[in-house]
């Protein structure tokens, strides 16, 4: 597929995350104004709420954009999703007759503050990247037992905490928690010492279900994708996670990109999953390519320092797609709702430079990572800014998500009642 | 504390779950009418939405009961919770001058259909009953390793699925899932064979928080309690739960009682926690008695058969209180919201007759449970109705929750795509 040219010139640059082919969705505000729905185009945002108010966008006979989140468009269903993209394309394409009416509703991205783009109903996180699972399993259980016995048969997942999801740019406070160093006899309560990131993609469920769905049906329920950083307190997790899984280790924050890329924009970049060493059960088999070719990178910027790219990988490294994860999620009859968010699991490639967490990059702190800009890291330090970027790459254009960034700030002082 | 007499005569019977001392909160409908907020009194429901419309209840200068859930009262905060109870008491107490104005707004419970009493924001389930943890641990890991090393130091919890929470009376379909019998080489997809209940209490978070809170603060954030049945697919869980905890095994349904008992109604029944074998860290220490003396029972009724009470226990058997669980839940900075639901964990007493799950009652199917009404059970069978009941008992009165019941219906036929 080729670049679709827009009358917004900056959208036609091959380096822009937001050509007309993308039409990424966000919620923005300028100055003291209330947050509103907007679509990214080049270095601008189209104020979609204003288009609707001006009568330029009427998809459902009732307002969809009078609220500062995209859930109402999701609720409206796949036909309206398609109609929305068609109408936005019509309004923004080079030579659009409505250009003069739309142009007043453009805002510079540089002047906008971004907000959470949708109301997160519930959040589930998976453990579905094979390289990551092998790396972590090798560190904790040895190479012979790296993959748990169920791993090749189902996408392992756990429920996370929707209340912890924040938009890119939100500072992330180093958590307190109950910690027990391996040699200590007893645990203590204090700041996490092994605070980490996890490079993931998030899939947004755009249609509800009330019983098991097939992988194909699940794929059609996915509205779009975001970049996702599943901040992880490794030392809290090590002590708490047996036998019922991660809890407070993953509850401090989960940062997502400000822009949702709709599944429709990613269709030209479908990628096939890996060879299956063990045949999947029929309910998890894919009717076609369900992954996407999305190049990903992770950058770390120490306080006052220069940025170092510490990992480069690709979403197609996943063993299980979001569609498979969603199908498995519904298998017990678990009701899914509009706005549910599914974290892909950490996306690590096959080599060190493509690992998706510091736990892997520093091999549990045993092989400190040297930053290109100087210094070393085993885990995150206060003042570090961690930035995820990602884009599918077409001929002369890219479909990006903007940056998914968060700065780690120092833990709060221990409250008196915790001393 | 003694019974407070009401002009609703049935509320003064010592066998009623709903004396004036209780004022339990539900959402009900009659016939084709829309669901509304109501308060249980004896065998009646006071239509609180109607009281508000009639000008008999004005707590916040703005309507709180024009919606079919109690979250708005929760949002209004503890002072309004107290004002609400004071005003309801004033209207319903024996000799109340407003009797003639209130009486037209009484509905017979027998004529009402009950709905979910609040919007569940997120759902967390704990593993905080020591007898249950020892029983399950002994079955799976042997008596010497029954309690995980962290168990006596923190209330182990995992995030559940809010979308699965249903009100008493909702039928529960036996789940499908991925199963691997211990001797089988490979898993298969089919109906759960070891479907179970778990007797729990649910605590409802009534105030939001955005950082760590103390146990005392957590206790003040709890709005009320419900009975809770955490339906569990033991065979799905056995295969899926390592290493990240239960997922689809707990996602089919979680049934709660139709009535919320406000924490205020339970204050006369405070109970102290157990002796601590290991001293808790300061952040988990309790400023006073945080449990409640609530007698609980579980009844099983086979299809077309008679009811057998299969367990009797008490909420004060818990090792960790809901306040401790909530404090721990916030320790990482995890934001809590109005409407969050915390499952206590299975409440098993010290003897067989007080165990809170069939897994324990039948010792994993090795000691089939004989029903008083005839027949035996290892796990639940299709057509079984499982009913939880509970009440705190005062002098001549009880504070109850109504019944928390669900009937197990047969699994759906395997969809073609799962064959």
């Amino acid at each position: 597929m080729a670049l679709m040219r827009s009358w917004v010139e900056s959208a036609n640059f091959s380096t822009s995350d937001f050509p007309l082919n993308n039409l990424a969705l966000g919620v923005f505000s300028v100055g003291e104004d209330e947050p509103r729905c907007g679509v990214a185009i080049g270095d601008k945002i189209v104020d979609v709420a204003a288009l609707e108010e001006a009568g330029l966008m009427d998809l459902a006979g009732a307002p969809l954009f009078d609220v500062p989140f995209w859930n109402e468009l999701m609720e409206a269903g796949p036909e309206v999703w398609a109609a929305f993209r068609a109408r936005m394309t019509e309004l923004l394409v080079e030579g659009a007759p409505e250009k003069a009416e739309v142009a007043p509703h453009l805002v510079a991205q540089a002047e906008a503050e971004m907000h959470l783009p949708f109301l997160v109903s519930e959040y589930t996180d998976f453990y579905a990247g094979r390289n990551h699972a092998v790396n972590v399993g090798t560190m904790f259980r040895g190479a012979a037992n790296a993959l748990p016995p169920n791993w090749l048969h189902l996408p392992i997942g756990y429920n996370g905490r929707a209340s912890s999801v924040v938009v890119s740019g939100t500072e992330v406070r180093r958590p307190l928690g109950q910690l027990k160093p391996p040699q200590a006899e007893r645990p203590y309560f204090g700041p996490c010492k092994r605070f980490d990131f996890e490079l993931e993609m998030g899939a947004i469920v755009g249609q509800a279900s009330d019983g098991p769905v097939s992988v194909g049906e699940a794929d059609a329920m996915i509205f779009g994708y975001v970049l996702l950083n599943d901040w992880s307190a490794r030392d809290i997790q090590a002590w708490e996670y047996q036998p019922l899984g991660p809890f407070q280790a993953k509850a401090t924050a989960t940062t997502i990109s400000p822009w949702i890329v709709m599944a429709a924009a990613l269709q030209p970049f479908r990628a096939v999953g890996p060879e299956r060493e063990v045949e999947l059960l029929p309910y998890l088999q894919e009717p076609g390519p369900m992954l996407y070719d999305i190049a990903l990178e992770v950058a770390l910027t120490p306080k006052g320092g220069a940025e170092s790219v510490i990992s480069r990988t690709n979403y197609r490294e996943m063993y299980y797609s979001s569609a498979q994860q969603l199908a498995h999620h519904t298998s017990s009859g678990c009701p899914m709702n509009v706005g549910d968010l599914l974290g892909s699991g950490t996306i690590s490639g096959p080599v060190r430079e493509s690992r998706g967490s510091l736990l892997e990059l520093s091999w549990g702190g045993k092989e400190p990572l040297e930053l290109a800009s100087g210094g070393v890291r085993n885990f995150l330090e206060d003042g570090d800014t961690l930035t995820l970027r990602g884009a599918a790459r077409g001929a002369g254009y890219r479909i990006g998500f903007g940056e998914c960034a968060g700065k780690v700030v120092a833990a709060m002082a221990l409250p008196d009642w915790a001393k």
Side-chain angles (χ1 to χ4, degrees), chain A:
Chain A
M1 197 163 176
L3 171 73
M4 295 164 68
R5 296 188 63 87
S6 169
W7 53 262
V8 179
E9 261 311 309
S10 58
N12 303 326
F13 300 163
S14 63
T15 53
S16 174
D17 269 357
F18 306 113
L20 184 54
N21 308 54
N22 188 343
L23 296 173
L25 316 177
V27 169
F28 73 101
S29 64
V30 178
E32 298 300 303
D33 290 353
E34 291 293 308
R36 307 165 71 87
C37 286
V39 165
I41 184 79
D43 60 3
K44 302 284 193 295
I45 302 170
V46 194
D47 183 338
V48 177
L51 294 186
E52 188 175 64
E53 287 159 22
L56 289 164
M57 174 70 72
D58 179 10
L59 298 173
L64 291 176
F65 309 110
D66 56 342
V67 288
F69 41 81
W70 285 89
N71 300 58
E72 297 208 352
L73 178 64
M74 298 182 206
E75 294 265 9
E79 285 182 29
V80 179
W81 307 348
F84 169 77
R85 290 183 65 80
R87 179 62 179 155
M88 286 305 303
T89 304
E90 208 169 68
L91 293 174
L92 292 170
V93 74
E94 203 169 54
E98 293 93 340
K99 175 179 170 181
E101 290 167 83
V102 173
H105 303 300
L106 291 181
V107 171
Q109 286 185 29
E111 284 169 27
E113 181 185 352
M114 300 306 295
H115 305 267
L116 211 53
F118 69 107
L119 301 179
V120 183
S121 296
E122 298 192 63
Y123 166 50
T124 310
D125 195 32
F126 287 86
Y127 184 61
R130 183 165 184 170
N131 296 313
H132 171 72
V134 167
N135 287 340
V136 172
T138 302
M139 270 183 259
F140 293 161
R141 291 178 293 271
N145 302 304
L147 281 187
N150 51 7
W151 203 95
L152 293 171
H153 297 282
L154 58 80
I156 295 175
Y158 66 97
N159 299 297
R161 184 76 197 172
S163 66
S164 75
V165 179
V166 297
V167 72
S168 176
T170 308
E171 289 189 340
V172 175
R173 187 167 295 285
R174 179 182 296 276
L176 302 176
Q178 191 173 127
L179 305 166
K180 193 178 112 21
Q183 290 76 21
E185 210 174 288
R186 298 210 164 180
Y188 71 96
F189 188 74
C192 163
K193 289 182 175 170
R194 292 161 73 99
F195 199 49
D196 200 358
F197 74 93
E198 287 189 341
L199 166 63
E200 303 193 19
M201 298 284 301
I204 301 165
V205 176
Q207 290 281 277
S209 65
D210 200 20
V213 303
S214 69
V215 176
E217 288 164 344
D219 189 60
M221 286 166 63
I222 296 174
F223 177 75
Y225 292 83
V226 287
L227 300 175
L228 186 149
N229 178 355
D230 177 30
W231 302 93
S232 298
R234 304 294 178 194
D235 42 4
I236 296 176
Q237 186 172 349
W239 173 232
E240 78 174 0
Y241 94 109
Q242 286 288 12
L244 299 187
F247 182 47
Q248 290 305 287
K250 301 278 197 169
T252 303
T254 302
T255 302
I256 63 171
S257 59
W259 298 105
I260 302 169
V261 175
M262 291 177 73
L266 294 169
Q267 291 318 298
F269 307 98
R270 287 279 194 181
V272 291
E275 288 279 315
R276 307 288 172 185
E277 187 174 320
V278 175
E279 194 185 15
L280 291 174
L281 288 170
Y283 85 101
L284 287 174
Q285 286 177 15
E286 299 165 296
M290 295 272 137
L291 289 172
Y292 296 101
D293 179 356
I294 300 172
L296 300 163
E297 70 172 36
V298 183
L300 191 155
T301 311
K303 188 178 178 182
E307 170 179 307
S308 299
V309 172
I310 60 173
S311 183
R312 286 193 175 85
T313 180
N314 194 296
Y315 179 55
R316 72 174 170 233
E317 296 287 351
M318 297 308 298
Y319 195 81
Y320 294 103
S321 65
S322 296
Q324 288 173 307
Q325 294 171 346
L326 178 53
H328 180 66
H329 207 323
T330 67
S331 61
S332 68
C334 179
M336 302 302 296
N337 288 310
V338 169
D340 283 340
L341 174 63
L342 309 185
S344 61
T346 306
I347 308 165
S348 291
V351 296
R352 186 182 184 193
E353 295 70 28
S354 60
R355 294 176 188 160
S357 67
L358 277 169
L359 176 69
E360 295 163 88
L361 285 161
S362 75
W363 208 253
K366 289 185 183 145
E367 300 173 10
L369 177 73
E370 293 191 22
L371 302 180
S373 66
V376 294
R377 284 293 180 281
N378 288 319
F379 293 95
L380 294 167
E381 297 186 2
D382 293 345
D384 283 353
T385 296
L386 199 289
T387 305
L388 312 180
R389 299 188 190 97
R393 289 171 185 158
Y397 73 103
R398 45 189 279 150
I399 303 286
F401 297 79
E403 289 190 342
C404 176
K407 182 176 177 178
V408 178
V409 300
M412 66 183 284
L414 219 56
D416 282 341
W417 46 259
K419 283 176 186 164

